[in-house]
Amino acid sequence: MTNKKRKRNNNNNNNKNDVSKKNQQEILSASSTPKRTKSNQPSNFLQKMRARLSGGHFRMINEKLYTCTGKEALNYFREDSSLFNLYHAGYKTQMSNWPEQPVNVIIKWLKKQNPSFVVADFGCGEALISKSVKNTVFSLDLVSNDPDVIACDMANTPLDSSSADVAVFCLSLMGTNYQTYLEEAYRVLKLGGWLLIAEVKSRFDPNNGGADPEKFSKAISELGFNSVKRDFSNKMFILFYFTKKEKHDSKRKKEIEWPSLKPCLYKRR
């Protein structure tokens, strides 16, 4: 073999080696770089499905609470207390869309009152009122996940008669027997004590199946309260302020015409 042929062969071999090395590098590089497959792409599909399932559970529980009595709701959660956590997780999601929270308006009002006032928070949820004011607060709800929350039927609390200065219902008049909750509030309030009710505005829109706020206020007045103020300024909720007046006629209480409160049901999205 001539020198020229040897050189040509050597050059060819070198070129082949270079190509081989280059291919190796490309293969190694490709194997070290993870491919963006459907399985490892940051997909929101599972998150969306979980949110949808959670939202479905919330709507189901929410509808149940609005269409049963307080005692039935208490038994419902006693059978499976985890449903209470599911409900409140969905509730928080719904409330996050509101520009203003009614509980914060009530907390602001309480901070302007006498710090010695005893407060009964009916349907307290996460007991935000208790955690936000200096007052003694009895936090009442169907389930207690907090040692400071008393689990009970809102129509039959363990509080003493005439023991509270303020009774609060913040989006918690949910049962079909809601009037019995208000009768219980009357029992536990001192003479001159305050009754604060915050409710979804649509529940008091007579043009869309809601109760007439005038009839609602009249029924509570007949129960034994003075209507002090109604605040319609917020687009999401309405606030009622009452004070307990002189002892009412117990016979008259049975004749009160309580308006039906429209359930606050959320549409599936």
Side-chain angles (χ1 to χ4, degrees):
M1 187 180 291
T2 64
N3 289 333
K4 284 185 180 180
K5 281 186 179 179
R6 283 199 189 97
K7 271 186 182 179
R8 198 179 292 126
N9 287 337
N10 286 337
N11 287 337
N12 287 340
N13 288 335
N14 288 336
N15 288 338
K16 284 179 183 178
N17 289 335
D18 290 342
V19 171
S20 178
K21 284 180 180 177
K22 188 176 180 181
N23 287 342
Q24 258 187 337
Q25 287 174 350
E26 287 176 352
I27 291 168
L28 287 170
S29 177
S31 64
S32 63
T33 304
K35 291 181 180 179
R36 293 184 66 82
T37 63
K38 286 185 179 179
S39 61
N40 61 23
Q41 277 183 347
S43 171
N44 287 326
F45 176 73
L46 288 177
Q47 289 179 356
K48 286 179 181 177
M49 284 302 295
R50 288 192 189 101
R52 188 172 292 180
L53 286 170
S54 179
H57 285 137
F58 167 72
R59 285 189 295 272
M60 179 190 71
I61 299 166
N62 183 68
E63 183 171 349
K64 172 74 176 176
L65 295 178
Y66 273 108
T67 55
C68 72
T69 65
K71 188 174 182 180
E72 288 170 340
L74 183 65
N75 292 333
Y76 178 67
F77 285 129
R78 276 179 175 170
E79 288 176 9
D80 187 352
S81 60
S82 67
L83 294 174
F84 189 77
N85 297 330
L86 273 173
Y87 170 76
H88 275 284
Y91 175 83
K92 284 176 73 175
T93 300
Q94 293 293 335
M95 287 294 101
S96 66
N97 298 320
W98 286 30
E100 186 173 30
Q101 307 290 319
V103 68
N104 292 333
V105 177
I106 292 171
I107 288 168
K108 189 183 293 185
W109 181 88
L110 279 170
K111 287 181 175 179
K112 294 178 182 177
Q113 310 307 311
N114 193 324
S116 68
F117 276 1
V118 175
V119 181
D121 185 5
F122 288 78
C124 65
E126 296 181 314
L128 289 177
I129 292 177
S130 176
K131 295 169 184 174
S132 305
V133 298
K134 295 178 180 179
N135 307 67
T136 297
V137 180
F138 290 102
S139 301
L140 311 163
D141 216 323
L142 296 168
V143 173
S144 175
N145 291 325
D146 184 319
D148 293 329
V149 174
I150 302 168
C152 61
D153 180 357
M154 298 304 106
N156 186 23
T157 72
L159 303 186
D160 293 334
S161 297
S162 302
S163 60
D165 299 283
V166 183
V168 174
F169 290 87
C170 186
L171 308 181
S172 55
L173 287 180
M174 299 181 74
T176 54
N177 62 324
Y178 77 88
Q179 67 273 17
T180 62
Y181 308 164
L182 296 171
E183 290 168 4
E184 179 68 354
Y186 183 90
R187 182 187 71 80
V188 304
L189 277 172
K190 299 174 184 176
L191 186 64
W194 286 89
L195 170 65
L196 272 61
I197 301 170
E199 267 303 334
V200 180
K201 209 167 191 177
S202 61
R203 301 189 79 192
F204 292 94
D205 182 0
N207 297 322
N208 290 304
D212 185 339
E214 288 288 345
K215 290 181 179 179
F216 180 72
S217 292
K218 182 183 176 185
I220 294 178
S221 295
E222 289 178 0
L223 177 61
F225 290 93
N226 290 312
S227 179
V228 178
K229 178 184 175 183
R230 276 180 285 173
D231 185 355
F232 289 86
S233 62
N234 194 282
K235 69 176 184 177
M236 303 301 290
F237 59 88
I238 180 174
L239 264 165
F240 297 89
Y241 298 79
F242 299 90
T243 53
K244 181 177 176 177
K245 59 186 179 183
E246 294 291 338
K247 191 172 183 180
H248 63 284
D249 185 352
S250 59
K251 291 182 181 179
R252 183 168 178 77
K253 182 176 70 172
K254 297 177 183 177
E255 301 167 4
I256 298 173
E257 292 185 15
W258 291 97
S260 176
L261 293 186
K262 177 183 177 182
C264 183
L265 306 179
Y266 295 94
K267 295 178 181 178
R268 183 175 179 178
R269 294 181 180 179

